[in-house]
Amino acid sequence: MNNDFTSTYEYTVEQKAEGKFRLMKIAFFALYILYPVIFMAILFIIQLFQLFALVVVTEWMLVYFTWKYTKPEYEYSVTSGRVTFSVIHGKRSRKEMLNFAIKDCLKIAPATDGDFLAMLEQYDPEVTYSAVSTVDSPDKYYAAFETPEGKRCVFYFEATEKMLKLCRNYNSAHTVITKVRY
């Protein structure tokens, strides 16, 4: 096993179709069906039959530019003790959401344990970031920290053994380690 803590560690999870993402898929699917019907009805009413070909092109554009938002991927990477959290849509566009130092975390603990969740509730975070595939993930952890501006934040992530070792290396006093799947 490589114990080089200066190298970059990356982990990516895909969001499962649950909650708002399931609703988003249903809504977009309905839009994809209704859009061509309404567009063709309008063209039929105003008798512009020559523009029916635009329905196919605009439908393709609609699907291409919107469907990617129904199944995001979450990536977090650790480089020299700094965590960078990004959201990737459709394997094409990446947006960095968060960047913080592990040493600044007030607590890194499992979000599946009642005692640690009670601590988190007392912390009362103002901003929440999530990099978990499902709300019920058995390896769900949180990292509680404050931004330089003083905002209380929490970052939920799916923990791996390597990530927990990195957390323990950079912030051993505030890291709780449990058995995880990966």
Side-chain angles (χ1 to χ4, degrees):
M1 181 182 280
N2 184 6
N3 288 328
D4 181 16
F5 288 113
T6 59
S7 65
T8 299
Y9 172 70
E10 294 179 351
Y11 191 69
T12 305
V13 295
E14 286 186 12
Q15 174 66 50
K16 294 193 174 144
E18 66 180 19
K20 75 176 187 177
F21 294 101
R22 178 176 292 172
L23 291 175
M24 192 182 302
K25 280 186 174 189
I26 293 168
F28 278 146
F29 190 70
L31 175 67
Y32 301 152
I33 292 171
L34 291 175
Y35 171 75
V37 171
I38 293 170
F39 193 7
M40 288 193 320
I42 291 170
L43 291 176
F44 184 77
I45 290 169
I46 60 176
Q47 296 185 359
L48 286 174
F49 305 110
Q50 303 87 345
L51 297 180
F52 274 25
L54 282 179
V55 173
V56 175
V57 174
T58 56
E59 175 80 6
W60 174 83
M61 289 173 59
L62 182 66
V63 172
Y64 182 80
F65 289 112
T66 59
W67 189 252
K68 65 182 178 181
Y69 294 106
T70 63
K71 192 166 185 178
E73 291 181 333
Y74 305 117
E75 176 188 82
Y76 64 85
S77 60
V78 179
T79 305
S80 300
R82 292 204 63 84
V83 175
T84 303
F85 166 54
S86 302
V87 177
I88 304 164
H89 293 288
K91 300 188 188 303
R92 294 187 302 257
S93 62
R94 172 188 309 270
K95 182 178 180 185
E96 185 176 311
M97 303 296 289
L98 176 67
N99 193 321
F100 66 93
I102 294 173
K103 67 179 175 75
D104 296 336
C105 291
L106 304 171
K107 185 58 114 181
I108 300 170
T112 54
D113 186 297
D115 294 336
F116 295 118
L117 283 175
M119 288 175 162
L120 182 60
E121 211 172 280
Q122 286 178 342
Y123 180 64
D124 191 30
E126 299 170 55
V127 183
T128 301
Y129 300 94
S130 180
V132 294
S133 61
T134 179
V135 182
D136 301 326
S137 174
D139 298 330
K140 185 176 174 183
Y141 262 67
Y142 71 85
F145 62 96
E146 286 188 11
T147 64
E149 298 83 29
K151 283 190 174 179
R152 292 180 313 278
C153 299
V154 66
F155 171 60
Y156 291 102
F157 62 97
E158 288 196 20
T160 62
E161 283 185 35
K162 176 121 185 196
M163 178 63 175
L164 293 177
K165 285 180 185 178
L166 288 168
C167 290
R168 184 178 59 204
N169 184 54
Y170 289 108
N171 191 343
S172 60
H174 298 113
T175 302
V176 176
I177 295 182
T178 61
K179 181 80 174 139
V180 292
R181 294 177 297 171
Y182 305 108

